[in-house]
Amino acid sequence: MEPNKTADLWYVDNYILLKDYYDRTISRIAARCIRSGNIAIEDYPFFGYILDVLEEISETGEYILQHSELYPYVERKIAGGLNGLKKTLAEYQNELKSNATPDMIKEDSREMERMKQALNNVTKATDPTVGAGMGMEQLVEKLMQENNITPNFSAEDNKK
């Protein structure tokens, strides 16, 4: 390995530390969830932090996979070597993807494109959320128009 690439070894060590930290954190939070009335881990108030750690693991693992000069170090430091890294990284990435927040999905352009394609055939004609963000007057007017209701007041009454 080239001398200027030794800094990249940090990624392998960091991946190992993050993976261990994540596993320990999940165990600890699972116990807290049980003590808190057996709530789902997704309902834990700081669940977003878990997703943040998963995202860090994913980014670090992807960096390692993109740098083949780290593979010999991976073979020595990670159980199962490169195959072990790929397997556990895929598990963590699946966990992250299945629990990702809308903001996290928004950052992944590939995921946004897949969602757009999936929603391409959806009509908004009967969508109850159309108009979200309207002011109260606009919403009432829209609902009255949809239900063919004529208002019993004039524009002058509305200014009073």
Side-chain angles (χ1 to χ4, degrees):
M1 185 172 296
E2 299 172 25
N4 61 352
K5 295 290 184 182
T6 56
D8 286 345
L9 295 178
W10 174 86
Y11 285 92
V12 177
D13 290 334
N14 192 47
Y15 177 84
I16 294 166
L17 292 172
L18 282 168
K19 184 180 168 306
D20 183 56
Y21 175 73
Y22 174 80
D23 292 342
R24 291 173 189 252
T25 301
I26 288 297
S27 295
R28 184 182 142 269
I29 290 174
R32 288 183 63 105
C33 288
I34 290 169
R35 287 193 308 268
S36 298
N38 209 21
I39 64 171
I41 200 162
E42 296 83 13
D43 295 331
Y44 183 69
F46 305 106
F47 183 68
Y49 178 71
I50 295 169
L51 296 178
D52 188 50
V53 174
L54 277 173
E55 190 171 32
E56 181 75 15
I57 291 170
S58 295
E59 290 170 0
T60 304
E62 285 297 327
Y63 181 89
I64 294 167
L65 291 178
Q66 293 170 4
H67 292 84
S68 58
E69 67 273 11
L70 296 173
Y71 292 0
Y73 195 62
V74 168
E75 292 295 331
R76 289 192 311 270
K77 296 288 275 186
I78 295 178
L82 190 58
N83 288 334
L85 169 71
K86 288 178 181 178
K87 181 178 180 267
T88 57
L89 181 59
E91 290 169 4
Y92 287 128
Q93 288 173 331
N94 284 335
E95 185 71 21
L96 176 62
K97 185 176 178 181
S98 66
N99 289 297
T101 64
D103 286 338
M104 294 172 79
I105 291 171
K106 197 167 34 176
E107 293 172 7
D108 183 353
S109 60
R110 295 170 303 187
E111 188 65 26
M112 283 301 290
E113 192 56 41
R114 284 192 291 268
M115 289 176 76
K116 285 178 186 176
Q117 288 174 358
L119 295 173
N120 196 22
N121 297 328
V122 176
T123 178
K124 291 190 175 199
T126 59
D127 183 357
T129 65
V130 170
M134 291 179 156
M136 184 55 77
E137 293 90 17
Q138 293 170 313
L139 179 59
V140 170
E141 185 178 322
K142 176 183 177 285
L143 290 172
M144 290 176 75
Q145 286 174 352
E146 286 177 359
N147 293 301
N148 297 319
I149 299 173
T150 306
N152 292 334
F153 57 88
S154 68
E156 292 298 315
D157 292 335
N158 198 23
K159 291 180 181 178
K160 293 179 184 177

